[in-house]
Amino acid sequence: MGSAARHSYGRLLGATMFLTLAASMLATSRTTSTKIIQTRRKVILDHDGGIDDFIALMLLLSHQQRIELLAVVVMEADSVGSVAVNTTSKLLHLFGAGHVPVAYSSLKCLNPFPDKWRWDAAKVDTLPQLNRWNPTELRAMRAKLVQQPGEEYLADLLMQQTEPVTLVMTGPLTNLAYALQKHGEAVAAKIEEVWWMGGALRVPGNVYERHTTGEIPTDGSAEWNAFCDPDAMRVVWASTVRLVVTPLDATNQVPITPDHVYSYGPQADMPFSLLAGTMYSTVLSYNASSFHLYYAWDALDAACMLSAGQVVPDRVSEQYMLPCWVEEGLATEVVLRGESQGAILLLNNSSTTGSTGGTAEGEVQDGKRSAHGCSGTDNGADGDDAEVEVSSGAKACAGGSRSRVKRIAAVTRVQQEDFYRFVLESFKQ
């Protein structure tokens, strides 16, 4: 495992210097921000209960000067949902955000996560730091959980907003797809942008047959949040919602190493650091027993959202921002069936010059091109063929059906040491 090259960034002494840095980065084909946010972002977190999901939630809670967390929706995907909901509620109360509503989605994955992974949430729920309340207090906390199904609650909450909100999604896109199918463009207009940890663009996926039930053939080109519900991706790809993806291309650059976990020790007298270090210590056995490392998948998604275009200062951002390189205007399709289901296909005419996102209608054969020499998709397109990048190993023709073309933004590069520092500084409280 090679370590990322160290790259130092000057201290940002306020908003003016940050904007200067952002402007210089925007001059390249990689950007660190896409839109300047001058007020607190209104944020909804939609997660699926893995250990990295809880770290992402903690990152959001550690920056409440910069965001207003409106609600948390939990889906049973990479977790046992009832346990993940319980843990989420306790985390919010521990860090002074017990007023934030928690809703539990009734929707399930089409392609389930492995049972062994799904019980990871229990490792967090049983930690002493999250069990400081007596039975009466715990019952009162559970009584405050939203009674409405999470997907319904998310759809209704979005429709109630008077200004667009940001969705941070660290599990499948299932609940968002439900809202879009129920309310269409009316709900899309309520969303500023979606930051989604999912997919793989120019690298292999992380879904392998040994992890599935054996009934679902897979070629290893898809990422788990995408593979879990390709049909939800089809709905989102057909919408005008601005989508910023944090794919494996970026998360592969931020493995959770023993050195990173050790670094929480000197600040373990601080509640955020103690809990984060304890949670991350549980995944080191995963590193030792598995061919694949544990990465900061969802934490990176939250961290990049927190750093994108923000000029509202807080304790961390007054000193520096986390540079997340974002490619804009990438024309993509999703494989919906077959061995590559959930794989994101990157079309060869993708641009990095700052698209506003949304669908690519009018630019790529009305958003209906076939891929890699295949003709005829599930949307009935007759357009000419478009080449795709298939470095991820996706079999673009497998199963035949693909989504509409959508132009997305994607985080493609981050410096490992910058990310580690951002998280450690965020958790110094």
Side-chain angles (χ1 to χ4, degrees), residues 54-365:
F54 297 132
I55 297 290
L57 172 57
M58 289 172 61
L59 275 174
L60 297 181
L61 294 175
S62 71
H63 288 273
Q64 294 186 71
Q65 290 173 279
R66 302 171 66 193
I67 69 160
E68 178 186 355
L69 186 60
L70 298 181
V72 181
V73 180
V74 181
M75 178 182 173
E76 182 171 302
D78 191 15
S79 68
V80 175
S82 57
V83 177
V85 167
N86 197 45
T87 307
T88 299
S89 176
K90 290 192 286 188
L91 273 170
L92 290 169
H93 280 81
L94 178 65
F95 294 119
H99 61 282
V100 175
V102 179
Y104 182 21
S105 175
S106 68
L107 303 177
K108 307 294 183 185
C109 267
L110 295 175
N111 298 321
F113 277 70
D115 285 344
K116 178 181 178 180
W117 298 356
R118 294 176 58 242
W119 279 103
D120 272 352
K123 296 179 182 178
V124 178
D125 197 61
T126 55
L127 293 175
Q129 298 99 308
L130 291 178
N131 289 281
R132 57 195 299 176
W133 301 277
N134 62 43
T136 300
E137 291 170 326
L138 287 172
R139 283 193 295 271
M141 288 163 56
R142 294 186 187 112
K144 294 171 62 177
L145 296 174
V146 175
Q147 299 304 304
Q148 187 180 18
E151 67 276 15
E152 292 279 359
Y153 178 76
L154 176 63
D156 290 350
L157 180 62
L158 287 170
M159 290 301 295
Q160 293 166 11
Q161 299 307 304
T162 57
E163 58 187 64
V165 302
T166 296
L167 277 179
V168 176
M169 305 195 70
T170 56
L173 292 170
T174 307
N175 294 320
L176 173 59
Y178 177 89
L180 288 168
Q181 287 180 312
K182 182 175 182 179
H183 296 295
E185 285 306 303
V187 80
K190 301 289 186 176
I191 300 171
E192 182 78 26
E193 56 189 7
V194 175
W195 283 78
W196 178 49
M197 190 280 118
L201 300 181
R202 302 184 180 98
V203 300
N206 61 3
V207 180
Y208 307 99
E209 286 198 44
R210 66 178 179 275
H211 293 151
T212 67
T213 61
E215 301 172 357
I216 308 168
T218 175
D219 61 12
S221 61
E223 178 275 331
W224 265 103
N225 284 342
F227 177 75
C228 180
D229 196 348
D231 284 345
M233 297 177 72
R234 173 185 57 80
V235 174
V236 174
W237 254 249
S239 76
T240 59
V241 168
R242 170 169 165 75
L243 182 63
V244 185
V245 173
T246 305
L248 296 183
D249 307 55
T251 62
N252 285 352
Q253 300 168 41
V254 287
I256 300 304
T257 64
D259 284 346
H260 178 62
V261 178
Y262 283 133
S263 64
Y264 289 96
Q267 54 193 63
D269 58 333
M270 302 176 187
F272 275 90
S273 292
L274 177 61
L275 186 55
T278 303
M279 284 196 284
Y280 269 151
S281 70
T282 68
V283 308
L284 294 181
S285 60
Y286 178 91
N287 290 351
S289 62
S290 171
F291 178 76
H292 297 280
L293 295 173
Y294 197 98
Y295 295 91
W297 296 288
D298 301 338
L300 181 62
D301 188 52
C304 288
M305 185 282 297
L306 286 165
S307 297
Q310 289 280 7
V311 297
V312 177
D314 66 4
R315 178 184 56 81
V316 176
S317 65
E318 284 179 342
Q319 301 182 53
Y320 69 99
M321 301 291 287
L322 173 65
C324 297
W325 275 258
V326 177
E327 291 189 45
E328 291 282 347
L330 298 174
T332 59
E333 288 179 326
V334 177
V335 180
L336 301 175
R337 298 290 181 267
E339 294 182 0
S340 299
Q341 60 185 287
I344 298 176
L345 305 178
L346 187 60
L347 303 185
N348 68 342
N349 62 347
S350 293
S351 169
T352 60
T353 56
S355 166
T356 58
T359 55
E361 294 186 358
E363 296 183 58
V364 191
Q365 199 67 25

